[in-house]
C-alpha cells in the first residue's frame, strides 16, 4: 500500500499543539541515542529518559533558545524530536552526523519555513526549502516518490504530508502518533558548537 499525505493528517495542531507548530524530526541510521548525543558534543550521562510530553514541557519551560532534543531507537535508526528546534537544518551538523551513514530530517518553524534534508556519508544528497524548491538535483532513488508528490500534492506544505512521505521512503519508518507518544526519549540539551 502506498502512503499518502492524508495518512499523516494526525500530525495536527489539535493533537500536537506545541509540536506541529514548530518541530524538527531527524532520523540517523545505525546509531544509538547515546552515540548520537556524543556525535553532537554532548554527554549521555547528562541526558534523562522522558516521554514526549515531558520533553515538550521541559523545552518550553527552560528556553526557546536551547538545542534540547529527545532521541529514541526505531529499528536500526535513531529518531530525534526537537520541539521548536533546528539541529536537523544545520548543514554542518547534518553532514557530520551522517558520516558513514544516512540522515534524513524535516523541519517547520512557527513562521511556516520548511526544510527537508537527506545526507549520506557526509554529503547532502537532496534538500528542499519551502518557497525555494529543490536545492539539489533529485537523486534517482527518490525520483518516483518526488514525481508523485509533485503531481498529486504540490498544493500541500511539506509538513502537511509530503515530508513525512519522503522520510518514510528514505528510512522505511512510518511515523505514527503511537510511535511519537509511546516512545521513551533520551532527552537533554546539546552544548553550543565550539
Amino acid at each position: 500500500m502506498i502512503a499518502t499525505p492524508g495518512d499523516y493528517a494526525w500530525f495536527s495542531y489539535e493533537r500536537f499543539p506545541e509540536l506541529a507548530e514548530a518541530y524538527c524530526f531527524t532520523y540517523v541510521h545505525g546509531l544509538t541515542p547515546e552515540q548520537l548525543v556524543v556525535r553532537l558534543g554532548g554527554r549521555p550521562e547528562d541526558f534523562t529518559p522522558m516521554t514526549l510530553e515531558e520533553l515538550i514541557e521541559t523545552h518550553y519551560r527552560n528556553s526557546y533558545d536551547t538545542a534540547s532534543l529527545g532521541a529514541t531507537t526505531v529499528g536500526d535508526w535513531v529518531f530525534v524530536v526537537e520541539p521548536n528546534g533546528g539541529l536537523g537544518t544545520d548543514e554542518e551538523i547534518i553532514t557530520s552526523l551522517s558520516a558513514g551513514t544516512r540522515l534524513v530530517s524535516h523541519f517547520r518553524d512557527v513562521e511556516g519555513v520548511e526544510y527537508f534534508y537527506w545526507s549520506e556519508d557526509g554529503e547532502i544528497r537532496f534538500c528542499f526549502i519551502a518557497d525555494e524548491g529543490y536545492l539539489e538535483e533529485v537523486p534517482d532513488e527518490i525520483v518516483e516518490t518526488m514525481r508523485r508528490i509533485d503531481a498529486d500534492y504540490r498544493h500541500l506544505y511539506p509538513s502537511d504530508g509530503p515530508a513525512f512521505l519522503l522520510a518514510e521512503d528514505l528510512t522505511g519508518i512510518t511515523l505514527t502518533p503511537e510511535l511519537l507518544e509511546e516512545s521513551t526519549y533520551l532527552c537533554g540539551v546539546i552544548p553550543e558548537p565550539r
Side-chain angles (χ1 to χ4, degrees):
M1 188 163 121
I2 298 173
T4 68
D7 295 332
Y8 291 98
W10 57 264
F11 189 66
S12 65
Y13 294 107
E14 292 75 30
R15 186 159 188 177
F16 296 99
E18 296 90 359
L19 199 56
E21 182 178 50
Y23 74 91
C24 187
F25 294 151
T26 304
Y27 308 75
V28 186
H29 188 256
L31 296 183
T32 66
E34 293 81 7
Q35 290 168 326
L36 177 112
V37 168
V38 170
R39 281 196 182 193
L40 288 170
R43 296 172 359 127
E45 59 269 23
D46 295 337
F47 281 59
T48 305
M50 293 184 190
T51 65
L52 178 66
E53 187 175 324
E54 290 168 332
L55 166 63
I56 293 169
E57 281 178 23
T58 301
H59 172 74
Y60 285 107
R61 185 175 56 240
N62 291 334
S63 171
Y64 286 91
D65 299 326
T66 60
S68 59
L69 61 84
T72 192
T73 302
V74 180
D76 294 338
W77 296 76
V78 61
F79 173 61
V80 181
V81 175
E82 292 178 81
N84 198 31
L87 290 174
T89 64
D90 183 306
E91 292 189 7
E92 188 174 321
I93 290 171
I94 290 169
T95 54
S96 174
L97 277 179
S98 72
T101 192
R102 173 178 284 188
L103 176 145
V104 174
S105 67
H106 55 101
F107 160 90
R108 179 183 177 124
D109 73 10
V110 294
E111 296 174 0
V113 175
E114 303 197 22
Y115 290 80
F116 183 96
Y117 281 95
W118 165 24
S119 183
E120 196 93 26
D121 196 17
E123 298 288 329
I124 293 175
R125 294 283 315 276
F126 180 73
C127 175
F128 171 86
I129 300 175
D131 298 328
E132 292 183 33
Y134 310 141
L135 301 186
E136 309 291 331
E137 186 174 320
V138 177
D140 291 343
E141 297 93 328
I142 60 170
V143 164
E144 193 54 43
T145 301
M146 291 308 300
R147 186 176 294 130
R148 187 165 55 92
I149 288 171
D150 284 344
D152 298 338
Y153 313 115
R154 92 180 76 211
H155 64 285
L156 295 176
Y157 285 106
S159 64
D160 290 334
F164 290 87
L165 293 178
L166 194 51
E168 183 177 333
D169 187 53
L170 288 166
T171 65
I173 296 170
T174 302
L175 189 58
T176 65
E178 294 79 19
L179 192 154
L180 267 177
E181 293 170 324
E182 296 172 10
S183 293
T184 299
Y185 298 88
L186 186 64
C187 300
V189 176
I190 295 300
E192 290 290 323
R194 294 179 188 88

